[in-house]
Amino acid sequence: MNYRNIVTLSLILLGAAGLSTIHSASANRKPAAVTFSKDVAPIFHSKCTECHRPGEAAPFSTLTYKDVRPWAKSIKEKVVSREMPPWHADPHFGEWANDRRLSETEIKTIVAWVDGGAVEGSPKDLPEAPKYAAGWSIPTPDVVLQMEEEYSLDANGPDEYQYFDVPTNFTEDKYIQMAEARPGNRKVVHHIIAFIVPPGQPTLNKIKKENRQKALEMSLANTPLYRDGALIRLKKEAPVYDNGADIPPELRGYNNVDDFLTAYAPGHNPDVWKLGTAKKVPAGATIRFQVHYSKVAGSEQKDRSMIGLIFAPEKPIKTLNTRAIANSFFKIPANTSHHKVTAEWTAWRNTTVYTLMPHMHYRGAAMEYKVTYPDGKSEVLLNVPNYSFAWQAGYTLKTPKMLPKGSKITVTGYFDNTAKNKFNPDPNQIVRYGEPTYDEMMMGFMDYSHEWPAAVKVDPKIFDDYIGKYDRGDNRVITIIREGDKLINIATDGKQRYELQPIGKDKFRMLGNETEVTFVRNESGEVIERLIEFDGGAFRNKKLKDATNSGQ
């Protein structure tokens, strides 16, 4: 054997001995203990503290070891079963920017921590806790709009839906980047929806308090709805359409829920919209609070709820809207386990979808959003196979979904009206639409923006062709005037004014109203009518020939 081979053999033997020593040492070394400070707190800070902190709905805080330690075994049980953090979307469909599910590694870390005695570890390893503005999940709001007075709620009786109007006093249009609704009394406030009432529309503040309930009842006259105490319900004799596609045009307006700014409900995150997108609150608008009160406290309670708004740093590229794809004319038979109800909506122009949020009551079991494209292809956007009324989350798409004009979204809800549903108020009842939780709702909320072409430059002198009055029917007229280099649409009440922005030959976008206006000419080139296209339909207004066509 030559010298080189001897050296090589020696090195191999030495290496083997070294590896043996290392393996022996590794076998004897205990794995590092999993601690709250180093391993678990970062998980809680990232996935839990939004709800699990002082002043929020969760039963305990996860901000400190002292708060968490008594709950350790319960935490392990809930994360292993994936009951916490709550997340009900089917993982086979869609990717979500706000997905709060724990990874397998995170779950194993929490389990190892509990099984190892739930030790604290060194405080030096503790990461900095998230910072929250006092009383808010969003940063400190730029403006807080609060109910003008406390509302007193009786100790007993049925639920109540109450409405409160709060003036914004905005002197200019505001674009909202973040919004959060906060209950003044969590003991009785089940949910809050804040709607935008544009300037010029009727508000409750113009009606004496003692007359408001009567005014609400009168507004429902000759409709399929009625007022039952402080609740709106569908009349029992109203026509039945479980399939939303069958609802006739004259009834579809009763499904509309729009001008939605923000909301509070169990499981609903504050609204935080990506830079470049925001919601618009026009100057002079009013915010209408719809507050659902549940008399579960057992004593008289008071509430003064509020919303907080953070303004966008600049005018957004896209203005967001929220609507419900809804069906209010279903009928759920008694003792039925899998009753299907559908609603549908068709994109009237190219539309981008950002967030989806199912809403049903206690009998709600599952909901699916499915889009069918103009070429016939389809895909499921969201499937929630186990809907929970106690946790009404919104699901924000990681990549917003572009829908070409003509795409149809079908929302399908399933209801369990049997005794097997432990939350069911009464399986022996036939159930129809209504505000109380012993009735039902079938609404698929959606945040979206319409895609509009860029404004085009035109000679303002051409606006003179459009100036005049247009017949709206029933002795009502729409007035088009020119103010300098702007074309203005004045509504039939003479108060609501919208600028018409040119987007093509004789085509305009009605700013602030998500409407397209086309002025139609005859063979001689004279403007003879106004075509209005909007989400849900279209109509035409003939130009009145005897109108005075003068600008300003």
Side-chain angles (χ1 to χ4, degrees):
M1 181 180 293
N2 63 32
Y3 178 76
R4 185 176 62 186
N5 290 339
I6 293 172
V7 172
T8 301
L9 180 59
S10 300
L11 290 173
I12 291 171
L13 293 172
L14 286 170
L19 286 173
S20 176
T21 303
I22 291 171
H23 274 293
S24 176
S26 299
N28 293 327
R29 186 182 304 134
K30 292 183 179 180
V34 177
T35 69
F36 173 82
S37 297
K38 186 176 181 180
D39 306 290
V40 176
I43 300 172
F44 289 168
H45 288 356
S46 172
K47 300 290 180 70
C48 306
T49 56
E50 183 177 350
C51 298
H52 284 266
R53 58 188 173 92
E56 298 302 309
F60 63 94
S61 170
T62 58
L63 286 171
T64 70
Y65 176 75
K66 181 180 178 181
D67 291 326
V68 167
R69 183 60 184 85
W71 296 87
K73 291 183 179 180
S74 177
I75 290 171
K76 173 187 170 182
E77 177 185 330
K78 298 296 185 182
V79 300
V80 168
S81 66
R82 291 195 175 274
E83 187 176 341
M84 287 287 169
W87 187 257
H88 300 114
D90 184 338
H92 298 96
F93 304 102
E95 294 185 10
W96 310 99
N98 61 330
D99 190 339
R100 54 166 67 94
R101 288 176 300 170
L102 298 179
S103 68
E104 288 296 333
T105 299
E106 289 171 325
I107 292 173
K108 288 178 180 179
T109 298
I110 294 171
V111 169
W113 173 63
V114 176
D115 290 346
V119 298
E120 180 178 13
S122 172
K124 294 180 180 179
D125 293 333
L126 189 67
E128 184 177 1
K131 289 183 171 58
Y132 297 94
W136 299 96
S137 294
I138 60 174
T140 303
D142 292 318
V143 64
V144 175
L145 301 173
Q146 189 172 30
M147 290 163 45
E148 294 185 306
E149 297 178 352
E150 282 188 332
Y151 179 73
S152 296
L153 191 72
D154 292 339
N156 302 301
D159 288 4
E160 295 183 18
Y161 269 61
Q162 296 293 345
Y163 295 83
F164 310 93
D165 283 0
V166 180
T168 61
N169 297 317
F170 292 163
T171 57
E172 60 182 5
D173 295 345
K174 295 290 188 181
Y175 293 92
I176 311 303
Q177 198 69 64
M178 302 183 193
E180 182 178 356
R182 300 287 293 185
N185 185 343
R186 290 181 184 271
K187 292 179 181 179
V188 291
V189 175
H190 176 268
H191 78 243
I192 303 165
I193 299 178
F195 297 95
I196 302 168
V197 181
Q201 290 194 9
T203 64
L204 294 173
N205 292 339
K206 295 179 181 179
I207 304 172
K208 292 182 179 180
K209 289 182 180 180
E210 58 269 24
N211 296 332
R212 289 180 186 175
Q213 297 300 325
K214 187 66 176 178
L216 286 170
E217 290 176 14
M218 290 177 63
S219 71
L220 300 177
N222 302 315
T223 76
L225 304 167
Y226 72 102
R227 187 94 168 155
D228 181 8
L231 300 163
I232 294 175
R233 306 178 71 187
L234 188 73
K235 294 174 181 176
K236 291 182 179 180
E237 65 272 18
V240 177
Y241 301 101
D242 285 338
N243 181 3
D246 295 337
I247 299 174
E250 65 270 18
L251 293 179
R252 289 177 187 170
Y254 295 105
N255 293 325
N256 290 345
V257 180
D258 49 20
D259 292 326
F260 181 117
L261 176 58
T262 189
Y264 161 82
H268 182 74
N269 292 335
D271 291 299
V272 178
W273 297 292
K274 293 175 65 173
L275 288 175
T277 66
K279 286 193 174 180
K280 179 182 177 180
V281 179
T286 295
I287 302 301
R288 176 163 296 157
F289 287 62
Q290 179 203 77
V291 187
H292 176 185
Y293 291 111
S294 183
K295 298 174 183 177
V296 294
S299 61
E300 183 177 324
Q301 298 287 319
K302 295 183 182 298
D303 172 62
R304 194 179 176 200
S305 293
M306 69 193 79
I307 63 170
L309 306 176
I310 293 179
F311 302 138
E314 57 188 7
K315 188 174 181 179
I317 299 170
K318 296 182 180 181
T319 302
L320 295 178
N321 303 280
T322 301
R323 66 164 299 121
I325 303 172
N327 183 342
S328 301
F329 293 94
F330 55 84
K331 183 178 181 180
I332 305 171
N335 298 295
T336 303
S337 64
H338 198 65
H339 186 72
K340 178 180 176 180
V341 178
T342 65
E344 62 178 37
W345 171 85
T346 300
W348 72 285
R349 63 185 312 112
N350 292 347
T351 300
T352 302
V353 177
Y354 295 87
T355 299
L356 304 170
M357 190 189 84
H359 177 73
M360 298 182 282
H361 287 171
Y362 286 121
R363 295 173 177 89
M367 184 176 283
E368 177 194 78
Y369 291 70
K370 185 176 184 178
V371 59
T372 303
Y373 296 104
D375 63 3
K377 294 180 180 178
S378 64
E379 68 172 315
V380 173
L381 298 178
L382 169 68
N383 181 40
V384 177
N386 294 294
Y387 172 80
S388 172
F389 182 63
W391 197 265
Q392 299 179 44
Y395 301 89
T396 300
L397 290 153
K398 186 174 288 186
T399 302
K401 179 67 68 174
M402 167 66 80
L403 305 181
K405 179 180 179 179
S407 299
K408 181 175 70 176
I409 293 180
T410 301
V411 176
T412 303
Y414 294 94
F415 296 87
D416 183 355
N417 190 20
T418 68
K420 291 181 180 180
N421 175 3
K422 65 180 180 180
F423 303 108
N424 193 345
D426 185 351
N428 296 314
Q429 294 295 318
I430 294 172
V431 183
R432 304 215 64 181
Y433 168 86
E435 290 181 337
T437 52
Y438 45 79
D439 288 342
E440 268 301 336
M441 290 187 178
M442 213 295 285
M443 297 179 175
F445 286 99
M446 173 178 76
D447 282 355
Y448 66 99
S449 68
H450 292 312
E451 302 302 318
W452 290 90
V456 298
K457 290 184 178 181
V458 299
D459 185 346
K461 291 180 181 178
I462 201 173
F463 291 168
D464 294 339
D465 291 355
Y466 314 126
I467 291 171
K469 295 183 182 298
Y470 295 78
D471 184 9
R472 186 70 172 85
D474 299 326
N475 295 316
R476 297 176 300 162
V477 295
I478 298 289
T479 305
I480 304 295
I481 66 171
R482 176 182 166 190
E483 293 183 346
D485 61 355
K486 294 182 178 180
L487 193 66
I488 305 297
N489 183 105
I490 302 177
T492 56
D493 62 4
K495 297 177 182 179
Q496 296 184 68
R497 298 160 58 93
Y498 300 98
E499 181 183 349
L500 299 179
Q501 181 186 76
I503 57 174
K505 180 175 173 55
D506 294 331
K507 286 187 178 293
F508 295 81
R509 175 185 181 184
M510 188 181 291
L511 298 180
N513 202 22
E514 295 299 303
T515 299
E516 184 174 300
V517 179
T518 303
F519 292 97
V520 181
R521 298 177 184 269
N522 61 16
E523 294 178 355
S524 302
E526 178 187 5
V527 173
I528 58 170
E529 70 178 3
R530 169 180 174 268
L531 170 63
I532 306 299
E533 297 176 90
F534 56 95
D535 189 357
F539 57 83
R540 296 173 181 267
N541 308 135
K542 294 291 184 182
K543 189 175 183 182
L544 299 175
K545 292 184 177 180
D546 59 346
T548 301
N549 295 340
S550 61
Q552 295 184 1

